[in-house]
Amino acid sequence: DHASERWPSHGQRSSITQWLSFNYITIKRTIHALRINTLASALITLAFALMSHPMDITTRLSFDALPDEVQRSILGYMDISSLAALCMTHKAVENENIASLCSDDVTWYAIIQSRFGIGCNHRRIIRKQKQEGVVFASRSLSSSIDGMRSTEGRKRRPTTYGGKDWKEAYRVLSSTMKIPEMNITSGSHNVSGGSACFASPYLRGRKVKNSVADYFGVWCMVNHAENCRTKTVQVQMGRRRRRTHRGIAREPVSLPYRLDRRYIELKLCLQNTKSGFGRVVIPDISAMRIPSLDEEACFASYGWDKWDDEYDSTFQLVEAGPWAPRILLRRRFSDDDAAHLDAQEWNAKSGVKDLILRPFEVVVLSVHISCPESMVFETDALSSMSSIRIPIVADGWPSTIKQVNNTHGCEATSKKDVSIARFVPEDSLWECYSQLPGGCLSLVDRSRLVPV
């Protein structure tokens, strides 16, 4: 009976609606900055919808009565498990209930873009200095008509990725842990793509208990040399001296590394595949281990705790100097991401380097690995590497996950684990290389030689 006294008047609703319409973007960014949970975000969006669309108080309020734009905004804060549970609440009726929005192609294509980068623009913007009387033309397009045709030809279809719709395509892509599409990775999951992926995440299966490693992907690529050989300190110092003698303005940099070792540069693609809220932290990037085939068999039998700092491994990570680990690319595929990208600050940091990845965030890391002097070619090193092991820790995950899992009779998710990526066998490795007369090697696809 007293509902009319508590409900705002029409004039009050119009003033509040006007204020919310101007400050909606600010409220949404504040939600991201404060990391408010899904329920609080949904209540704020619901309040905005009720103020924006006044209705009779006697009308029965329903979640399906909200506009589609407001419902999609609420769905954007949900993780994949919550979204899948919402799809099964009742039968989906097109354009009539929330279950239809949770299952349509618009929602799942946006999720695929956020995680895999499919359909996103991955070109790096190169800013050129303006010169008077000079016009810069694009080399890829000859006219605006060609540009329109090429844009129309880039339309993605779910059948290309193994699904009849984008929801099923996401299930296929996530089950195979597809590498995200970027200008460095080119979306290749195997060695036959544009950028060869020589190591991919190790899938443990459903029989193993849940762990943070199940939500972290590691892929390995190689920054190939022209002759497919590993680096040496003498050759690199000679190249730097020749550049200085030719008059190029570059200071000579010393390489404080061992002369009896060879080096190979790997590009590691790291991604937090967890949706919703929750970060994955690498406490120290120098704790990464790359065992050989013999070391893998040995430590798997006697325990990985035997691998300490005093152990002289076959492959060692270069931790300091010009070849120290550095970030090549750091990106989230979300348009609402207003966080700063601290790649340069991280590269200039000395000492212990930790790495924090937010949901669906991708980082491409360049690392130099020291290998024995007998490994002259890249194939010698890659065929001897067994796996990549990176210790990771979950941060900011729901504190009630243990209670929820125990309620359903499942084991709690482990917050500390080691993410593993397995290298491809030697037979698959030779699909990228071809042996030339005279004991030389060459890549099958020469486009992979583009430097980063």
Side-chain angles (χ1 to χ4, degrees), residues 301-361:
S301 302
Y302 295 98
W304 289 98
D305 55 341
K306 303 295 190 296
W307 188 316
D308 51 9
D309 297 337
E310 298 180 357
Y311 176 72
D312 189 12
S313 59
T314 305
F315 301 100
Q316 301 175 2
L317 175 67
V318 178
E319 303 178 8
W323 290 350
R326 61 190 181 93
I327 295 178
L328 300 178
L329 179 64
R330 186 167 192 169
R331 181 176 182 182
R332 284 185 70 186
F333 299 111
S334 175
D335 298 333
D336 299 330
D337 183 21
H340 64 284
L341 302 180
D342 52 349
Q344 296 181 356
E345 181 180 356
W346 192 90
N347 294 335
K349 182 180 177 181
S350 59
V352 178
K353 289 187 175 182
D354 58 340
L355 195 60
I356 302 176
L357 284 82
R358 295 159 295 177
F360 289 163
E361 186 175 8

Side-chain angles (χ1 to χ4, degrees), residues 262-273:
R262 303 183 74 93
Y263 302 88
I264 181 173
E265 183 179 0
L266 303 180
K267 294 183 293 183
L268 302 181
C269 180
L270 313 175
Q271 185 185 27
N272 178 9
T273 60

Side-chain angles (χ1 to χ4, degrees), residues 201-202 204 212-213 216-218 388-392 417-421:
Y202 171 63
R204 306 185 183 187
V212 62
F216 192 77
V218 180
I388 301 176
R389 305 176 65 89
I390 303 178
I392 55 177
D417 204 346
V418 177
S419 181
I420 304 175

Side-chain angles (χ1 to χ4, degrees), residues 120-190:
C120 298
N121 185 15
H122 308 295
R123 294 184 179 181
R124 288 185 177 181
I125 301 177
I126 303 177
R127 302 185 182 275
K128 300 181 180 180
Q129 297 181 356
K130 295 183 179 180
Q131 301 180 10
E132 185 177 358
V134 178
V135 178
F136 293 100
S138 176
R139 294 181 298 176
S140 59
L141 302 178
S142 58
S143 64
S144 59
I145 299 178
D146 295 337
M148 295 173 59
R149 292 176 181 175
S150 61
T151 304
E152 294 177 357
R154 296 172 187 169
K155 185 177 180 180
R156 306 299 180 94
R157 297 179 180 178
T159 54
T160 308
Y161 303 94
K164 61 180 180 180
D165 51 15
W166 285 114
K167 181 180 178 181
E168 186 176 351
Y170 180 85
R171 182 184 60 82
V172 174
L173 296 176
S174 61
S175 61
T176 57
M177 291 294 287
K178 182 183 181 300
I179 186 172
E181 288 189 4
M182 292 180 293
N183 54 347
I184 296 179
T185 62
S186 300
S188 169
H189 183 67
N190 48 29

Side-chain angles (χ1 to χ4, degrees), residues 353-428:
K353 289 187 175 182
D354 58 340
L355 195 60
I356 302 176
L357 284 82
R358 295 159 295 177
F360 289 163
E361 186 175 8
V362 183
V363 172
V364 179
L365 202 65
S366 172
V367 295
H368 282 76
I369 305 299
S370 172
C371 53
E373 191 176 6
S374 58
M375 298 183 180
V376 180
F377 293 97
E378 297 174 355
T379 53
D380 300 334
L382 295 175
S383 60
S384 301
M385 295 179 180
S386 175
S387 62
I388 301 176
R389 305 176 65 89
I390 303 178
I392 55 177
V393 179
D395 180 36
W397 287 32
S399 58
T400 58
I401 188 170
K402 184 175 182 180
Q403 300 177 0
V404 174
N405 289 337
N406 291 338
T407 303
H408 295 281
C410 303
E411 297 185 8
T413 301
S414 177
K415 297 298 184 66
K416 295 182 180 181
D417 204 346
V418 177
S419 181
I420 304 175
R422 299 286 187 186
F423 280 89
V424 297
E426 187 175 359
D427 296 339
S428 302

